[in-house]
Amino acid sequence: MLPYINRDISWLSFNYRVLQESKDNSVPLLERLKFLAIYSSNLDEFFRVRIANNRNLLRTGKKTRRELDFEPEEVLMQILKIVNEQQVEFSRIFDTLIVPSLRKHGINVIRRKRMTEEQIAFVDNYFNDFMLPYVQPVLLIGQKIKPFLNNAALYLTLYMKDRENMSGSPLFGVVKIPSDHLSRFVELPPKKEGTHDIIMLDDIVRHSITHLFPGYEVLDSYSIKLTRDAELYIDDEFSGDLLTKIRKSLNKRNIGPASRLVYDREMPKELLQYLMGVFDLEKYDLIPAGRYHNNSDFFKFPNYGLNHLKETHLPPLSIPLLENASSIFEKIAEKDWLIHVPYHGYEAVIKFFEDAAIDPSVTHIKIIQYRVARVSRIMKALKIAVENGKQVSAFIEIKARFDEEANLMWGEQLESAGVNVFYSIPGIKVHSKMAIVRRIEKGKSHMYAYLSTGNFHEDTAKIYSDVGIFTANPNLTAEATRVFSFLETKNQPTRPFEFMGVGQFNLNDLILGLINTEIKNAQEGKKAEMILKMNSIEDQVIIQELYRASEAGVKIYMIIRGICSLVPGIKGISENIEVISIVDRYLEHARIFVFHNDGDKKVYLSSADWMERNLYRRIETIFPVFDNEIKKTILDILQIQLNDNVKARIINYKNNNLYKRNTTDLVVRSQIETYYYIKRTTERLIEEPVQNT
């Protein structure tokens, strides 16, 4: 059997790379707190989706389990072991690295037993004035009282004795930590002038619980959090009203079965076993952790204006030739344009829609919406376009996980404004990122497209690293138009796609064909090489082809942010494959594929990772870069990333995430180098038209 890493095990290795950032002393302190929050948020979603899936596999019949290429119980136990180890390290990082470092900068995280009398009085008043209505104390009595725990909410479990019978059996209770109503971080009167004392909301509840259970002695308290299965499980996606099914399923998401109980690892076994009985939990549902849970709340940790403890701001770069143009379409007609967010600002993309909305020559606007900002100028532009008599259509994927509700909301708003809204296709997701505009110029129809690796989302464009191209190239716009025609009519395209690869049609064949060309060239003694950048690779068919390419002598350089089920560097199988992963201030989200092609390099951008779901169960697009100047820019940026010796980790069969270091070379932090590379390129583009006049 060819070497292969389980996708969930590999994902945990990725999330550990996020955790590594929180203990890197070169990362500014408040950014390290942010990485603790990202790690925690990632892990919450992982358990709500992936662990729920693994637990369900344990319950499937023998026939179904025989069809799997792994043993669910074995994988689940390995996952829990890895998570337990990471949770111990998380607590150590926070307690021994982050908290002392905050103290050096005058920010003190105060434990309840270290409060002054003034702080105790403050906490007592705060609890009575703001918290008392929300803590919901419940005494647990045998199996008679089973309180419902809200999904991902924080609770304290109490280990108590009856004051009149201290020698009797322990009693248990539950109180809520109301972080859904109040700030998790409460500022106390400082012990010392010029400093900031903060107490966690959890510790205010700990301090105050004795008032909630009169007649009982609270011996100790332990934090818990229950997360619930977040899959919608729409059993019959191929028939019926999918829209109605999703709406109904969303209402059930937060009351789904438990997929994880996170608990303080100091909790006595007696209390843990009791909770397992009360909440119908199994050993696979248990995750020991530290004193505090829901650490994604660190996103909201107060910074007190200490900007020197944050990353240096890199202002998004403008593209004045596009953004200041009287008509963006006239500029796109002249040449293709590359947008690389967040290094570039998103203004040019927004202008594409805002200009289309008011341009009297524009007749049609079409867009695919997978994820979109809650406050969106793009969506506003679509509404204005309808008011101005344009024909506007939006394909909205309502199965975009955790964005279903937002997408339903936008669909209703756009429909009310007169936009033609098309919803999800049963059985597959539409994940392509594209928009087209039709414009009448001198009596003829001209098409303009924006094709991208990322969503039309003004907020994530500030932190996700994505690339997109504005083009009027008829080879691309014609095929993009055919994609929209299929989405709107469900009629099969009458002509094959020649330039673009489209999921459900020719995407796999195009990718495999490009790989096979490199294999053939290597076998003929020609130089053969690939540079493959994506979020994740898991599909076994493509991995096998990459192993075959390596065996043939094709050099393969991969930049994989997340899941990498491929195992590089194994003699005789994958020794010609090198894989790095970059985790830094921006989330690497672009998919870029380069094939040497006997010297005539082919460069593609794509919405698709090389995951089974992307390649077989989605409408994805991969599109070529024709413009030589853009090609060069993309190749230069990829080379900068391959040279990263600060934030790059080496992916290998050990999953040990070693940093790629080379002390003899210049320090290369690719995201910073990319910013200044694009800055120089943008400045040169501004200067060239001036020189040509």
Side-chain angles (χ1 to χ4, degrees), residues 1-7 67-70 508 512 515 537-548 565-566 610-613 615-616:
M1 186 175 177
L2 291 174
Y4 186 83
I5 299 173
N6 176 274
R7 59 167 289 174
E67 294 174 357
L68 300 174
D69 55 4
F70 63 93
N508 288 21
L512 293 173
I515 294 172
I537 178 168
E538 167 252 6
D539 180 65
Q540 295 192 36
V541 173
I542 283 192
I543 289 174
Q544 187 167 351
E545 286 301 290
L546 292 177
Y547 286 156
R548 195 165 71 87
S565 293
L566 176 147
W610 289 359
M611 303 278 285
E612 184 178 330
R613 67 187 186 192
L615 300 175
Y616 302 101

Side-chain angles (χ1 to χ4, degrees), residues 183-187 198-201 297-298 300-302:
S183 171
R184 188 80 181 279
F185 310 102
V186 178
E187 187 163 5
I198 292 173
I199 189 168
M200 302 275 281
L201 200 65
D297 286 341
F298 283 126
K300 300 173 184 175
F301 193 85

